[in-house]
CSV table of all heavy atoms in Angstrom, one decimal:
chain,number,residue,atom,x,y,z
B,1239,ILE,N,91.4,88.4,91.2
B,1239,ILE,CA,92.0,87.1,91.1
B,1239,ILE,C,93.5,87.3,90.7
B,1239,ILE,O,94.3,86.4,90.9
B,1239,ILE,CB,91.2,86.2,90.1
B,1239,ILE,CG1,91.6,84.8,90.3
B,1239,ILE,CG2,91.5,86.7,88.7
B,1239,ILE,CD1,90.6,83.9,89.5
B,1240,ASP,N,93.8,88.4,90.1
B,1240,ASP,CA,95.2,88.6,89.6
B,1240,ASP,C,96.0,89.6,90.4
B,1240,ASP,O,97.0,90.1,89.9
B,1240,ASP,CB,95.2,89.0,88.2
B,1240,ASP,CG,94.5,90.3,88.0
B,1240,ASP,OD1,93.8,90.8,89.0
B,1240,ASP,OD2,94.5,90.9,86.9
B,1241,ARG,N,95.7,89.8,91.7
B,1241,ARG,CA,96.5,90.6,92.5
B,1241,ARG,C,96.4,90.2,94.0
B,1241,ARG,O,95.4,89.5,94.3
B,1241,ARG,CB,96.1,92.1,92.4
B,1241,ARG,CG,94.7,92.4,92.8
B,1241,ARG,CD,94.3,93.9,92.6
B,1241,ARG,NE,94.7,94.7,93.7
B,1241,ARG,CZ,95.3,95.9,93.5
B,1241,ARG,NH1,95.5,96.4,92.3
B,1241,ARG,NH2,95.6,96.6,94.6
B,1242,ILE,N,97.4,90.6,94.8
B,1242,ILE,CA,97.3,90.3,96.2
B,1242,ILE,C,97.2,91.6,96.9
B,1242,ILE,O,97.9,92.6,96.6
B,1242,ILE,CB,98.6,89.6,96.6
B,1242,ILE,CG1,98.6,88.1,96.0
B,1242,ILE,CG2,98.7,89.5,98.1
B,1242,ILE,CD1,99.9,87.4,96.2
B,1243,GLU,N,96.3,91.7,97.8
B,1243,GLU,CA,96.2,92.9,98.7
B,1243,GLU,C,95.9,92.5,100.1
B,1243,GLU,O,95.0,91.7,100.4
B,1243,GLU,CB,95.1,93.8,98.1
B,1243,GLU,CG,95.0,95.1,99.0
B,1243,GLU,CD,94.1,96.2,98.4
B,1243,GLU,OE1,94.0,96.3,97.1
B,1243,GLU,OE2,93.5,96.9,99.1
B,1244,LYS,N,96.7,93.0,101.0
B,1244,LYS,CA,96.6,92.7,102.4
B,1244,LYS,C,96.7,93.9,103.2
B,1244,LYS,O,97.6,94.8,103.0
B,1244,LYS,CB,97.7,91.8,102.9
B,1244,LYS,CG,97.9,90.5,102.1
B,1244,LYS,CD,97.8,89.3,103.0
B,1244,LYS,CE,97.4,88.1,102.2
B,1244,LYS,NZ,96.0,87.8,102.2
B,1245,THR,N,95.8,94.1,104.2
B,1245,THR,CA,95.8,95.2,105.1
B,1245,THR,C,96.0,94.8,106.5
B,1245,THR,O,95.3,93.9,106.9
B,1245,THR,CB,94.5,96.1,105.0
B,1245,THR,OG1,94.3,96.5,103.6
B,1245,THR,CG2,94.6,97.3,105.8
B,1246,ILE,N,97.0,95.3,107.2
B,1246,ILE,CA,97.1,95.0,108.6
B,1246,ILE,C,97.3,96.3,109.4
B,1246,ILE,O,97.8,97.3,108.8
B,1246,ILE,CB,98.2,94.0,108.9
B,1246,ILE,CG1,99.6,94.5,108.5
B,1246,ILE,CG2,98.0,92.6,108.3
B,1246,ILE,CD1,100.8,93.7,109.0
B,1247,VAL,N,96.9,96.2,110.7
B,1247,VAL,CA,97.2,97.4,111.5
B,1247,VAL,C,98.3,96.9,112.5
B,1247,VAL,O,98.1,95.9,113.2
B,1247,VAL,CB,96.0,97.9,112.2
B,1247,VAL,CG1,96.3,98.9,113.3
B,1247,VAL,CG2,95.0,98.5,111.2
B,1248,LEU,N,99.4,97.6,112.6
B,1248,LEU,CA,100.5,97.3,113.5
B,1248,LEU,C,100.5,98.2,114.7
B,1248,LEU,O,100.3,99.4,114.5
B,1248,LEU,CB,101.8,97.4,112.7
B,1248,LEU,CG,101.9,96.5,111.5
B,1248,LEU,CD1,103.0,96.9,110.6
B,1248,LEU,CD2,102.2,95.0,112.0
B,1249,LYS,N,100.6,97.6,115.8
B,1249,LYS,CA,100.6,98.5,117.1
B,1249,LYS,C,102.0,99.0,117.3
B,1249,LYS,O,102.8,98.6,118.2
B,1249,LYS,CB,100.2,97.6,118.3
B,1249,LYS,CG,98.7,97.3,118.2
B,1249,LYS,CD,98.3,96.7,119.6
B,1249,LYS,CE,97.3,95.6,119.4
B,1249,LYS,NZ,97.8,94.3,119.0
B,1250,ALA,N,102.4,99.9,116.4
B,1250,ALA,CA,103.7,100.5,116.4
B,1250,ALA,C,103.6,101.9,115.7
B,1250,ALA,O,102.8,102.0,114.8
B,1250,ALA,CB,104.8,99.6,115.8
B,1251,PRO,N,104.5,102.8,116.1
B,1251,PRO,CA,104.4,104.2,115.5
B,1251,PRO,C,104.8,104.1,114.0
B,1251,PRO,O,105.6,103.2,113.6
B,1251,PRO,CB,105.4,105.0,116.2
B,1251,PRO,CG,106.0,104.2,117.4
B,1251,PRO,CD,105.5,102.8,117.2
B,1252,LEU,N,104.2,105.0,113.2
B,1252,LEU,CA,104.5,105.0,111.8
B,1252,LEU,C,106.0,105.0,111.4
B,1252,LEU,O,106.5,104.3,110.6
B,1252,LEU,CB,103.8,106.2,111.2
B,1252,LEU,CG,104.1,106.5,109.7
B,1252,LEU,CD1,103.5,105.4,108.8
B,1252,LEU,CD2,103.5,107.9,109.3
B,1253,GLU,N,106.7,105.8,112.2
B,1253,GLU,CA,108.2,106.0,111.9
B,1253,GLU,C,108.9,104.7,112.1
B,1253,GLU,O,109.8,104.4,111.3
B,1253,GLU,CB,108.7,107.1,112.8
B,1253,GLU,CG,110.0,107.7,112.3
B,1253,GLU,CD,110.7,108.6,113.3
B,1253,GLU,OE1,110.0,109.1,114.2
B,1253,GLU,OE2,111.9,108.8,113.1
Side-chain angles (χ1 to χ4, degrees):
Chain B
I1239 202 169
D1240 60 349
R1241 62 184 274 139
I1242 290 169
E1243 182 169 327
K1244 305 238 158 263
T1245 302
I1246 59 168
V1247 173
L1248 298 160
K1249 291 190 215 77
L1252 176 66
E1253 202 187 338

